[in-house]
Amino acid sequence: MPMCFVAAEPATSEHEIDMPQRTPVTVVFDSDCVLCSYWVRFILKHEASNTVHFASSRKSVGKGLAAEFGFTPEHLDLTYVLIRDGKAFTKSDATLALLAELNAPWAWMRMFRFVPRWIRDGAYDVVARNRLKWFGQKKDCLLPTPEQRNRFLD
């Protein structure tokens, strides 16, 4: 008995499926840190959609955003802050949340969420304490391209 295949009708505006929109994410980062600035450039290059925005922890917008969640400038010397859906994430949780915004294969690194937080944050803290010594401080600012400029809140 032959099998028949019926061609589906092409999608029209009445039948199109709405894809869920990604929630905007804001990252408050140390713009003087070479490693942190590299991470921002990496995100811009590999993100799945243009929903990540950035604010320097050294400027009023970034300080203000962080302060809304109880973070002082001293906190911002040891972590960056990711804000999504009215919640703030820091240390390895912020990194895992950012990985979810990236294309594969980088997004696959979210599997590290199964590593206990105390281990992830311990490794994060070692890097955070030594980042300026190991990677240095920037002498010049991170200059976004004209297309990226609206993604920076300062």
Side-chain angles (χ1 to χ4, degrees):
M1 180 173 198
M3 294 185 69
C4 298
F5 295 95
V6 177
E9 292 182 42
T12 65
S13 60
E14 294 176 13
H15 299 99
E16 289 179 1
I17 298 172
D18 287 329
M19 296 301 291
Q21 296 292 317
R22 286 186 175 267
T23 303
V25 172
T26 302
V27 177
V28 180
F29 74 104
D30 182 354
S31 57
D32 291 345
C33 166
V34 170
L35 178 63
C36 304
S37 293
Y38 174 80
W39 181 227
V40 168
R41 286 192 305 275
F42 185 87
I43 293 162
L44 288 167
K45 183 176 180 181
H46 297 286
E47 67 184 323
S49 63
N50 295 338
T51 57
V52 181
H53 294 84
F54 304 93
S56 171
S57 64
R58 306 287 179 192
K59 296 191 176 177
S60 60
V61 172
K63 287 178 185 176
L65 285 169
E68 287 179 29
F69 293 92
F71 297 102
T72 65
E74 291 76 26
H75 289 119
L76 298 176
D77 283 339
L78 296 175
T79 187
Y80 65 96
V81 178
L82 179 137
I83 302 166
R84 179 177 51 202
D85 294 329
K87 296 177 186 158
F89 301 86
T90 60
K91 299 187 180 191
S92 65
D93 286 338
T95 301
L96 291 170
L98 267 175
L99 288 170
E101 302 297 321
L102 303 182
N103 290 313
W106 307 110
W108 300 339
M109 293 180 67
R110 289 177 296 162
M111 69 180 173
F112 286 106
R113 70 183 177 273
F114 296 111
V115 173
R117 181 180 290 138
W118 67 270
I119 294 172
R120 293 187 330 239
D121 282 352
Y124 184 97
D125 289 341
V126 169
V127 174
R129 278 193 308 271
N130 295 290
R131 65 193 163 85
L132 298 178
K133 182 173 24 172
W134 293 346
F135 299 97
Q137 268 186 299
K138 293 184 69 63
K139 303 283 188 267
D140 52 351
C141 295
L142 170 71
L143 296 175
T145 66
E147 298 82 28
Q148 297 168 339
R149 183 66 209 129
N150 67 335
R151 312 270 300 285
F152 289 80
L153 304 178
D154 301 336

